[in-house]
């Protein structure tokens, strides 16, 4: 068995989410929704008279929307996880020795690029922070209630405002990349794959990748872990195995790409996909192409399971 090399992936988005019980998360999210609705009703029935020293009423309501917005997001994410687990548990009873049937909702023909959802997530997070920061911006830059600390408060709030601008800028970049290249897909030549065998797949794009200077296809095995950091439990991604195939523009006919056959030798090291587990373990294929303008990037989950069930 090859020795595993552990490397933390700092910019990798985890799959597992929080380590909290999902039913508790539903209750937690419901409390935010109820609190937000109650606050909005109370404020609406006790609307203060117009006064420059008071926060504008529309701003108050917009700020209070932060609570139900956050609560609904938690509830939806938790319910998805609960229903998914129930469905997979029922399938597992009939196929206990075939984990590719119940570990994940696989399409045996292939899988779409999972990174295309990053744009929606970044945009949603930007809205979330905008609602949260609205009252702080009013106090720091408009109200004039703290003249003695106006500069300090403005610098602190301005820093987080800059962060929000960067998040929206990143989401625009991701939307632009999606518009330029379209969705990517990975076609499975066989299904599933097993450790020690050969991984044969075909990478497909909706629009041709032109002016490719270099393309990297990286096969990696990722293990997510729940770790305590700064008093909070965070989901950290670790790379335990990686194999990279690098191609230059000379490897592509007319320097354009619409489909590309890829082959990797899978190690016999006991690493197998376990997406149902929390925290999850999984194989991933990342495609990165250095092109003119916005570079291409896509990542695909892989159905690699042990044959020893």
């Amino acid at each position: 068995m090859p020795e595993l090399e552990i490397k933390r992936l700092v910019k990798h988005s985890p799959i597992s989410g929080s380590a909290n019980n999902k039913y508790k998360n539903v209750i937690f999210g419901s409390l935010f929704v109820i609190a937000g609705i109650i606050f909005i009703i109370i404020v609406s029935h006790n609307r203060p008279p117009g006064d420059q020293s008071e926060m504008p009423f529309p701003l108050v309501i917009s700020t209070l929307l932060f609570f139900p917005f956050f609560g609904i997001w938690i509830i939806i994410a938790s319910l998805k996880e609960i229903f998914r687990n129930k469905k997979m548990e029922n399938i597992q009873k009939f196929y206990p020795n075939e984990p590719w049937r119940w570990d994940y909702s696989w399409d045996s023909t292939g899988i779409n690029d999972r990174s295309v959802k990053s744009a929606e997530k970044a945009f949603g997070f930007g809205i979330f922070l905008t609602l949260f920061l609205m009252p702080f911006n009013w106090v720091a830059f408009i109200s004039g209630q703290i003249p003695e600390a106006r500069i300090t408060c403005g610098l602190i709030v301005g820093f987080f405002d800059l962060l929000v601008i960067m998040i929206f800028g990143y989401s625009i970049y991701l939307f632009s990349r999606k518009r330029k290249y379209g969705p990517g897909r990975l076609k499975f030549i066989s299904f599933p794959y097993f450790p020690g065998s050969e991984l044969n797949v075909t990478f497909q794009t909706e629009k041709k990748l032109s002016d490719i200077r270099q393309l990297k296809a990286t096969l990696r095995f990722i293990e997510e872990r729940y770790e305590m950091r700064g008093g909070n439990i965070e989901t950290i991604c670790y790379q335990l195995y990686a194999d990279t195939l690098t191609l230059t523009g000379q490897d592509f006919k007319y320097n354009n790409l619409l489909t590309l056959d890829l082959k990797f030798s899978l190690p016999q090291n006991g690493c197998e996909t376990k997406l149902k587990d929390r925290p999850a373990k999984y194989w991933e294929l990342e495609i990165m192409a250095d092109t003119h303008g916005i570079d291409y990037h896509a990542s695909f989950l892989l159905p690699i399971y042990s044959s020893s069930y």
Side-chain angles (χ1 to χ4, degrees):
M1 180 185 297
E3 183 178 352
L4 301 180
E5 181 181 355
I6 300 177
K7 174 185 176 182
R8 182 185 174 188
L9 301 176
V10 179
K11 296 182 179 181
H12 194 279
S13 299
I15 290 177
S16 301
S18 68
N20 297 329
N21 181 279
K22 300 306 175 184
Y23 290 99
K24 291 182 179 179
N25 285 347
V26 172
I27 297 175
F28 181 71
S30 300
L31 293 177
F32 267 86
V33 174
I34 294 172
I37 293 174
I38 292 175
F39 289 153
I40 292 174
I41 292 174
I42 292 174
V43 171
S44 299
H45 283 279
N46 297 275
R47 181 173 178 175
D51 187 345
Q52 292 184 352
S53 64
E54 297 290 342
M55 185 180 296
F57 182 73
L59 180 58
V60 174
I61 297 299
S62 299
T63 301
L64 292 176
L65 286 174
F66 163 81
F67 292 94
F69 179 87
F70 181 61
I72 291 172
W73 177 77
I74 293 177
I75 292 172
I76 292 175
S78 301
L79 289 177
K80 280 185 176 180
E81 188 78 4
I82 292 171
F83 292 145
R84 171 187 171 276
N85 289 338
K86 290 293 184 182
K87 177 182 177 181
M88 296 306 176
E89 287 173 2
N90 292 332
I91 297 176
Q92 185 177 3
K93 294 177 183 178
F94 293 95
Y95 304 97
N97 298 323
E98 300 178 28
W100 50 89
R101 292 182 179 269
W102 43 262
D103 182 61
Y104 186 75
S105 300
W106 293 108
D107 177 353
S108 60
T109 64
I111 190 169
N112 295 328
D113 172 21
R114 78 183 188 96
S115 66
V116 296
K117 295 182 179 180
S118 300
E120 290 88 347
K121 290 181 179 179
F123 188 77
F125 186 57
I127 294 176
F128 172 82
L129 285 181
T130 299
L131 289 173
F132 179 75
L133 290 172
M134 285 174 65
F136 298 99
N137 276 278
W138 184 84
V139 172
F141 302 114
I142 301 175
S143 70
Q145 292 184 357
I146 49 173
E148 67 281 355
R150 189 178 185 89
I151 295 179
T152 302
C153 185
L155 288 174
I156 295 175
V157 176
F159 170 79
F160 287 100
D161 288 341
L162 181 61
L163 178 62
V164 171
I165 294 174
M166 293 174 63
I167 291 174
F168 278 122
Y170 179 62
S171 67
I172 292 173
Y173 170 81
L174 294 177
F175 279 121
S176 300
R177 188 175 69 190
K178 181 179 178 181
R179 178 181 177 84
K180 179 180 179 181
Y181 299 111
R185 183 168 177 81
L186 199 68
K187 180 181 178 182
F188 300 145
I189 305 304
S190 62
F191 180 87
Y193 300 96
F194 301 102
S197 64
E198 191 171 63
L199 175 72
N200 293 327
V201 293
T202 299
F203 169 60
Q204 302 171 328
T205 60
E206 186 179 73
K207 301 177 182 179
K208 285 187 177 181
L209 305 185
S210 58
D211 300 322
I212 299 175
R213 290 184 283 268
Q214 186 182 75
L215 183 143
K216 285 187 177 182
T218 302
L219 171 70
R220 58 168 60 98
F221 180 74
I222 298 172
E223 178 181 291
E224 297 182 354
R225 302 175 185 175
Y226 293 139
E227 298 182 358
M228 183 68 69
R229 293 177 180 272
N232 298 315
I233 298 178
E234 297 183 9
T235 306
I236 309 299
C237 300
Y238 289 94
Q239 173 184 290
L240 274 63
Y241 175 90
D243 187 11
T244 301
L245 176 65
T246 302
L247 303 173
T248 63
Q250 297 176 353
D251 297 308
F252 307 108
K253 186 177 181 180
Y254 306 119
N255 204 18
N256 289 326
L257 172 67
L258 191 59
T259 63
L260 177 65
D261 295 328
L262 297 169
K263 294 183 180 181
F264 291 90
S265 296
L266 295 174
Q268 186 68 52
N269 57 8
C271 295
E272 61 175 310
T273 301
K274 293 184 178 181
L275 289 165
K276 187 175 180 293
D277 290 357
R278 288 297 180 266
K281 301 176 183 179
Y282 50 93
W283 286 89
E284 175 188 78
L285 181 63
E286 181 183 54
I287 308 291
M288 300 180 67
D290 181 9
T291 66
H292 179 71
I294 299 176
D295 293 337
Y296 182 82
H297 177 268
S299 61
F300 307 90
L301 296 173
L302 296 169
I304 301 175
Y305 293 94
S306 173
S307 58
S308 61
Y309 279 85

